Amino acid sequence: MNKYLLFHKNIYTILAFMFFSQTMIAQLPAKYWIAFTDKQNSPYSITRPQEFLSERAIEKRQRFHIAINEEDLPVNATYINKVLQIDSSIILFTQSKWLNGITIYCKDTMTIQKIKALPFVKECERNSKMKQEEKPYTKVYSYSSPSSVQPSVPIDYKNIKYGKANAQIRINNIHWLHRMGFLGQGIVMSVQDGGFHNVDSIPHFQKLISENRLLGVRNFVQPDIDPMRSHSHGTMVLSCIASYLPDTLVGTAPLVSVFLAKTEDGRSEYPIEEDNWVASLEWADSLGCDIINSSLGYTHFDDTIFNHRHEHLTGEYTRVSKAASMAAKKGIVVCNSAGNEGDGKWHYIGVPADAKNILTVGSVQPDGKKSSFSSFGYHASGNIKPDACAVGSFTWMGTPNGKTSFGFGTSFSSPLLAGMIACLWQSCPQKTPFEIIEAIHKSGNQYKKPDEALGFGITDFFKAYNLLKNNGGDIVLNDDNQTLIAVDVEDFVVKNNKLSFYASSQCKANINLKIENENHQIVTERNLKLKQKPKKITLTNISLLNDNANYAFGCMIFSFNEQQILVYTIGEEK
C-alpha cells in the first residue's frame, strides 16, 4: 500500500477515535458537587427560624445560647432552579446549607461547563462516576411514626438483665446510670448508615416501634427506595443502642428516640457518600437531634484520584469533616467510628473521624485490651484521637433475621458509646456538647497519658456523671478570704465495704468528709488533711447495701468550714 495513503488512513482512524472518546467523556454520567458564592436575596430570614428549623431544634439553640445565623439558612432556591433549568436531565439529590451547595446528577460534561459559567457558582467538582444511569426519582421515601411518643412501659431499671451484652455494658460503667433511671428517655439520636433491613419487624426493636420512638427514616442515596428493606449494617449498629430483649440483649440506651438515615451507596465507593453524610447531618440538626452516630469512614475510593492522604487528616480539609466539626456549635454530639485499619496498610483513622469537636471511637476487647484492627489516631493537626473507646471485638448485636450474634469493628464500639452519651446527657440536660465531650475525655482511663492507639482510653461513665454534676469541683475561699480551695477526687472504688480514692486540694486544708447511703443515713464521717499532692484515702466498714439489695448508691460529701464543696455519687454491688 502507498505509504502516503497508509499515513492518511491512520490519521483518520486516530481522529475518529478521539472524536468517539470525547463524545463518550461528554456523555459520561456522574454526580457533582456545586458550591454557591452566597445566599443573597434569600426568602428565608434568621428572624423566622421556624420556617427551616423544627420547634425542637429552636428550643435547643435557645437552651445552649446558640445563635441562629446565615449558615442555617437554606440554599438559595433561585440558584438551584437556574442550575436545573440548564438541562432537563439534571437531577437534584442533596443540599448543604452549612457549606452552601448542592449535589446533582448530570449525564453530560458539556452541561457542567455551562453550570461553571454561572456567576453565582463558586465551585463545581465531580464526586462520583456512575456505573449505571441514575433514574429520576418520583417521590421522597419517608417513614414517620405517629406524632406523639407513647408512654414507655416501665422498665425495672434497677435490675436490668443485659444478657449477652453484660460485658460491653459494664466495661464503661454505664449500668450505674441505668440504675439511676437514665436510659436515654427524651434524647433524640440520628443513626447514619448503609441500610436498616427489618428494623421495623425484628424482636430487638419491638419496644422501640410500639412506643413510636422510631421517629423517621430517610434515604439520601436513592430517595424513593425504602432503606429498611435492604442492607444489614445499620440494623446491627442500631441494636447496640436501642435493643431491648431482657436476658438476651439490651442496648446502651434502650429508651432513646431515633431517626435513621441511609447515606451509603452500596453500588460503589465515591466521595458522593460524604456529601450524602453532610446532608443527613444537617437534616438531623433541623429535626433537633442531640446525638449522631456514624459508623462510617472514608479513605479510599473506586477511582484512586479521589483517595484521601494522611496529610488531609486535619479536621478541616474535607467537606464531611468540616460539617462534622460544625455540629457541636449547633448543639450536637457526633460519635464516629475510628475505623478498622489498625492492622492494615492505611493504619490510621479516616474522615470524618479526624474532625474536631466530635467523639472518635476506638475499639477494645471485653477484657479492655486494644482490638488489633482499631485504627490508630494519627492526626495531622495534632489533636488526640481516638476520643473514647468501647467494646468492638465480640460485640453482641441483633441481626435482620431476628437472631443475636457477635461481630467485630469500630462500627459497633461507636454506637455503644453513642447510647451511653444519651444516658449521660439525659442526666445533665443543661450541659453543652463541649462540656459533654470534655467529661468523656477526662473520664478515659488514659486521660493523663493518651496515646495514638486508644487515645483517652475506655470511658468511665460513672466518673463522667460525677464530673458533670460537680463541674470539676467547686472553689471556696479560706478564712483569710484569699486562699482558694478546690477538692479533686480521682479513682474512687467501693468494694467489699471498703472505699478508696485519691484526693487533693489547691492548698493545705482540713476537709470534712461525710458518707451517706441511698437513704441519706450517715455511714461514716472523717476529717481529711489535704495538700496539692494527691493523697490516697482508704476507709473500711463502708456499708452502703440494704439487706435485700445486690447493689446500692451512696454519696461522698466534702465540706470546708461547713460549706459544701463536692458531692460524688458512689455505688457498690456484690
Side-chain angles (χ1 to χ4, degrees):
M1 181 180 289
N2 186 294
K3 290 183 179 180
Y4 179 77
L5 293 175
L6 180 62
F7 171 77
H8 277 77
K9 182 180 180 181
N10 289 338
I11 286 292
Y12 290 137
T13 301
I14 293 170
L15 289 174
F17 177 76
M18 290 175 62
F19 175 78
F20 177 76
S21 298
Q22 289 185 3
T23 302
M24 288 296 292
I25 292 172
Q27 295 178 347
L28 183 67
K31 289 183 179 179
Y32 294 84
W33 161 256
I34 313 293
F36 298 134
T37 55
D38 56 69
K39 294 183 178 180
Q40 292 180 4
N41 303 315
S42 173
Y44 298 99
S45 170
I46 60 175
T47 63
R48 303 190 308 276
Q50 66 275 10
E51 296 177 2
F52 50 88
L53 291 176
S54 69
E55 182 179 341
R56 194 177 196 282
I58 295 171
E59 182 279 325
K60 187 168 63 170
R61 302 289 179 94
Q62 293 172 342
R63 176 165 27 114
F64 295 141
H65 306 289
I66 298 170
I68 297 173
N69 55 31
E70 187 177 295
E71 289 175 348
D72 299 303
L73 296 178
V75 181
N76 193 318
T78 302
Y79 292 170
I80 296 175
N81 289 333
K82 286 184 178 180
V83 169
L84 299 179
Q85 288 168 5
I86 289 179
D87 191 317
S88 61
S89 66
I90 296 174
I91 303 174
L92 173 66
F93 272 88
T94 64
Q95 304 180 37
S96 171
K97 56 188 178 182
W98 294 353
L99 305 180
N100 195 23
I102 60 175
T103 297
I104 64 168
Y105 168 78
C106 182
K107 295 181 181 180
D108 193 335
T109 55
M110 300 302 181
T111 300
I112 294 300
Q113 296 307 313
K114 295 177 183 179
I115 294 174
K116 287 182 178 180
L118 294 172
F120 51 82
V121 171
K122 178 182 178 181
E123 178 186 1
C124 183
E125 173 188 306
R126 182 169 66 95
N127 57 19
S128 75
K129 292 189 298 187
M130 301 302 296
K131 296 179 180 178
Q132 60 190 49
E133 185 173 323
E134 196 75 79
K135 297 179 180 179
Y137 55 90
T138 56
K139 66 174 182 177
V140 174
Y141 176 82
S142 180
Y143 165 85
S144 296
S145 68
S147 57
S148 61
V149 174
Q150 298 299 313
S152 174
V153 176
I155 288 178
D156 182 10
Y157 60 85
K158 292 185 178 181
N159 296 285
I160 296 177
K161 307 298 183 183
Y162 295 106
K164 294 177 179 178
N166 195 55
Q168 62 203 44
I169 291 283
R170 288 175 175 269
I171 194 172
N172 292 100
N173 269 341
I174 191 60
H175 60 293
W176 286 114
L177 270 70
H178 289 172
R179 286 175 173 176
M180 286 187 270
F182 302 119
L183 300 166
Q185 304 96 310
I187 300 296
V188 179
M189 183 185 299
S190 175
V191 178
Q192 302 176 187
D193 218 283
F196 305 92
H197 195 201
N198 289 344
V199 160
D200 54 347
S201 61
I202 63 174
H204 298 75
F205 303 118
Q206 183 178 356
K207 187 173 180 63
L208 177 76
I209 300 298
S210 65
E211 295 175 359
N212 296 333
R213 289 185 287 106
L214 177 55
L215 303 180
V217 184
R218 184 168 170 182
N219 190 336
F220 286 84
V221 180
Q222 295 172 291
D224 54 357
I225 294 178
D226 185 350
M228 292 196 291
R229 299 284 76 86
S230 64
H231 297 287
S232 63
H233 191 265
T235 306
M236 296 185 290
V237 164
L238 180 63
S239 72
C240 295
I241 302 166
S243 177
Y244 186 69
L245 278 180
D247 290 314
T248 301
L249 187 76
V250 176
T252 51
L255 295 184
V256 75
S257 298
V258 296
F259 287 94
L260 306 179
K262 176 180 171 64
T263 64
E264 285 292 284
D265 190 342
R267 299 170 296 177
S268 60
E269 186 75 3
Y270 281 104
I272 178 63
E273 293 171 304
E274 296 184 20
D275 291 336
N276 296 341
W277 194 96
V278 173
S280 171
L281 176 60
E282 294 183 13
W283 177 64
D285 167 64
S286 70
L287 295 167
C289 291
D290 305 298
I291 301 167
I292 304 292
N293 182 76
S294 164
S295 293
L296 305 168
Y298 308 98
T299 56
H300 295 83
F301 300 97
D302 291 350
D303 187 340
T304 58
I305 194 173
F306 295 114
N307 286 355
H308 296 309
R309 298 193 297 271
H310 290 145
E311 57 265 32
H312 292 169
L313 303 179
T314 64
E316 300 174 343
Y317 183 84
T318 64
R319 287 191 293 276
V320 69
S321 296
K322 288 177 183 177
S325 296
M326 293 174 68
K329 295 191 299 182
K330 306 296 183 182
I332 300 170
V333 171
V334 174
C335 290
N336 202 96
S337 54
N340 304 323
E341 297 283 347
D343 50 7
K345 197 171 182 179
W346 174 264
H347 192 63
Y348 300 112
I349 60 174
V351 301
D354 67 323
K356 300 174 182 178
N357 301 322
I358 75 166
L359 292 171
T360 301
V361 187
S363 170
V364 295
Q365 302 173 24
D367 62 4
K369 295 179 181 178
K370 180 185 180 297
S371 302
S372 61
F373 55 78
S374 187
S375 291
F376 285 78
Y378 167 84
H379 196 293
S381 68
N383 286 354
I384 294 171
K385 297 286 179 178
D387 297 87
C389 293
V391 173
S393 293
F394 297 99
T395 307
W396 288 94
M397 66 197 71
T399 63
N401 61 5
K403 304 296 183 181
T404 299
S405 185
F406 63 83
F408 299 81
T410 56
S411 284
F412 308 121
S413 58
S414 181
L416 285 176
L417 194 98
M420 296 175 201
I421 292 170
C423 302
L424 179 67
W425 214 347
Q426 179 195 354
S427 74
C428 307
Q430 299 304 317
K431 298 300 181 180
T432 69
F434 298 100
E435 291 173 309
I436 295 292
I437 291 170
E438 182 182 24
I440 297 297
H441 287 169
K442 288 185 175 180
S443 302
N445 68 336
Q446 295 189 171
Y447 173 65
K448 293 185 177 179
K449 292 184 178 180
D451 58 29
E452 64 175 15
L454 296 178
F456 292 113
I458 302 169
T459 309
D460 183 336
F461 275 84
F462 201 21
K463 183 174 184 178
Y465 169 81
N466 275 309
L467 288 173
L468 289 171
K469 285 294 185 182
N470 288 294
N471 296 308
D474 294 331
I475 299 177
V476 299
L477 295 174
N478 203 339
D479 293 337
D480 58 10
N481 219 29
Q482 294 179 355
T483 306
L484 294 176
I485 297 221
V487 172
D488 185 29
V489 178
E490 296 181 5
D491 303 325
F492 57 84
V493 176
V494 184
K495 191 172 183 179
N496 298 328
N497 293 345
K498 184 169 72 173
L499 169 66
S500 62
F501 59 92
Y502 287 86
S504 61
S505 65
Q506 288 190 353
C507 65
K508 294 181 180 179
N510 292 319
I511 304 296
N512 176 263
L513 168 62
K514 181 170 61 176
I515 299 176
E516 295 182 352
N517 64 19
E518 57 187 331
N519 297 321
H520 303 293
Q521 298 168 327
I522 296 177
V523 174
T524 190
E525 193 167 4
R526 179 172 169 179
N527 288 320
L528 307 175
K529 293 183 178 181
L530 301 183
K531 302 178 182 179
Q532 286 185 324
K533 184 178 180 180
K535 177 181 181 180
K536 185 173 184 180
I537 311 294
T538 300
L539 302 175
T540 57
N541 298 321
I542 306 300
S543 179
L544 298 177
L545 293 176
N546 296 326
D547 292 339
N548 298 321
N550 59 3
Y551 72 93
F553 287 105
C555 61
M556 299 189 292
I557 304 172
F558 295 85
S559 302
F560 175 75
N561 287 348
E562 299 183 354
Q563 183 172 349
Q564 186 171 292
I565 303 174
L566 282 179
V567 179
Y568 271 88
T569 299
I570 56 178
E572 181 179 15
E573 54 190 322
K574 291 184 178 180

